[in-house]
């Protein structure tokens, strides 16, 4: 198998190339043009905007179908402070259902990756880090809010001031205790949020860490948390389906 990792292939031309069974992860296909393709049983998961398939812009169709399947999804696009509070409340109602599914599995399966994606525990660890970054550091101004069990996204690499221990294996209760604290922080921030604050910008944090010491739109920071929580819960649900089938098949 040929692997292309951390390569810049912008502007490349592929002609009469067999890509059957290939896997693309964290790739930027913006502006890509594919002609005469055979796509049978293919799967695309990502941010889709302006995707034209056989002359049809499918992005609005995909968005409408996702909203139909997940009625709470509309709440992840809030217009004001009340909308952010409603979106977070919806997430706090949804996560316990996912956690109940996880608790029914043997603990070792919660550390198992499905198709190379993060395990359930790793997913929770990443959400801790995301909250520390965009709420603890960016919004609240804490230069070093990072819990040692937080897990940065893989492509970030090592950043001074940000713990990154991919080999840590906390059990479910350990990481949920940290999660509960971080979720309470988000809840408290949103409880006091005004529309004026939402339209403002953060003060740069002059210390090493992530995100970099810049000023960010408060809306961007809080939207990042809603997006992370929503998408990663769905990823977790998808992978729990697989783990449950594996367990049933091995029973």
């Amino acid at each position: 198998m040929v692997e292309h990792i951390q390569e810049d292939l912008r502007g490349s031309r592929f002609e009469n190339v067999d890509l059957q069974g290939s896997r693309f992860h964290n790739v930027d296909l913006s502006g890509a043009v594919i002609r005469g393709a055979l796509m049978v049983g293919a799967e695309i998961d990502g941010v889709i905007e302006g995707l034209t398939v056989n002359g049809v812009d499918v992005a609005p169709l995909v968005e409408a179908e996702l909203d139909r399947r997940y009625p709470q999804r509309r709440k992840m696009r809030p217009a004001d402070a009340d909308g952010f509070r409603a979106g977070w409340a919806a997430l706090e109602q949804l996560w316990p259902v996912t956690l109940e599914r996880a608790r029914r599995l043997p603990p070792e399966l919660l550390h198992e990756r499905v198709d190379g994606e993060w395990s359930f525990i790793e997913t929770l660890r990443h959400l801790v880090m995301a909250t520390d970054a965009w709420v603890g550091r960016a919004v609240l101004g804490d230069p070093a809010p990072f819990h040692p069990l937080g897990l940065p996204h893989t492509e970030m690499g090592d950043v001074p001031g940000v713990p990154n221990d991919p080999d840590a294996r906390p059990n479910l209760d350990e990481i949920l205790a940290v999660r509960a604290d971080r979720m309470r922080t988000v809840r408290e921030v949103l409880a006091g949020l005004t529309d004026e604050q939402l339209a403002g910008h953060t003060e740069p944090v002059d210390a090493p860490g992530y995100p970099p010491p810049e000023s960010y739109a408060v809306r961007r920071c809080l939207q990042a948390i809603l997006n992370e929580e929503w998408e990663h819960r769905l990823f977790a649900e998808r992978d729990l389906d697989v783990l449950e089938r594996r367990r049933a098949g091995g029973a």
Side-chain angles (χ1 to χ4, degrees):
M1 179 179 66
V2 178
E3 292 190 346
H4 299 280
I5 300 175
Q6 297 292 343
E7 292 187 37
D8 188 343
L9 298 176
R10 284 177 290 185
S12 298
R13 179 181 176 87
F14 301 89
E15 188 167 348
N16 292 324
V17 176
D18 189 344
L19 295 174
Q20 293 184 72
S22 296
R23 181 178 178 85
F24 301 87
H25 187 255
N26 285 332
V27 295
D28 187 346
L29 295 172
S30 301
V33 177
I34 303 173
R35 303 286 191 215
L38 178 63
M39 298 185 72
V40 179
E43 179 181 337
I44 300 175
D45 190 329
V47 177
I48 299 174
E49 296 179 2
L51 175 62
T52 301
V53 178
N54 292 338
V56 178
D57 183 358
V58 302
L61 305 179
V62 172
E63 287 297 301
E65 174 61 15
L66 289 174
D67 284 348
R68 185 191 68 80
R69 293 185 182 185
Y70 310 109
Q72 299 278 43
R73 186 173 184 265
R74 294 181 179 86
K75 295 181 180 179
M76 301 305 118
R77 303 190 293 270
D80 53 22
D82 283 341
F84 272 92
R85 283 186 278 272
W88 185 254
L91 288 165
E92 292 204 295
Q93 291 175 349
L94 290 167
W95 265 109
V97 179
T98 303
L99 292 172
E100 181 59 31
R101 290 184 66 189
R103 287 192 181 280
R104 291 197 293 265
L105 291 173
E108 62 271 16
L109 285 186
L110 301 183
H111 291 282
E112 186 171 323
R113 290 186 168 188
V114 174
D115 200 20
E117 301 293 339
W118 273 334
S119 70
F120 189 80
I121 296 293
E122 287 173 321
T123 295
L124 298 181
R125 293 181 60 200
H126 175 67
L127 291 174
V128 166
M129 185 274 171
T131 305
D132 285 347
W134 292 107
V135 178
R137 179 177 163 92
V139 175
L140 296 179
D142 186 342
F146 302 102
H147 193 280
L149 288 179
L151 182 65
H153 54 276
T154 306
E155 295 72 29
M156 193 174 95
D158 292 328
V159 173
V162 182
N164 189 358
D165 183 4
D167 296 324
R169 287 176 66 88
N171 62 39
L172 182 59
D173 287 333
E174 288 173 329
I175 193 61
L176 285 181
V178 183
R179 274 278 285 163
D181 178 75
R182 270 41 182 188
M183 294 182 81
R184 180 171 57 251
T185 296
V186 176
R187 191 183 315 122
E188 291 172 352
V189 166
L190 294 180
L193 183 69
T194 66
D195 290 340
E196 182 179 11
Q197 291 170 334
L198 183 62
H201 285 71
T202 66
E203 291 293 328
V205 177
D206 188 17
Y210 181 88
E214 302 173 12
S215 178
Y216 297 92
V218 172
R219 174 181 290 277
R220 172 189 174 182
C221 299
L222 298 178
Q223 185 67 63
I225 294 302
L226 290 190
N227 292 346
E228 289 280 310
E229 293 280 348
W230 178 265
E231 296 296 342
H232 282 289
R233 192 192 68 84
L234 288 181
F235 297 155
E237 289 275 345
R238 175 199 64 196
D239 293 346
L240 286 171
D241 288 341
V242 176
L243 294 174
E244 288 169 348
R245 288 196 296 271
R246 285 182 185 174
R247 186 190 184 197

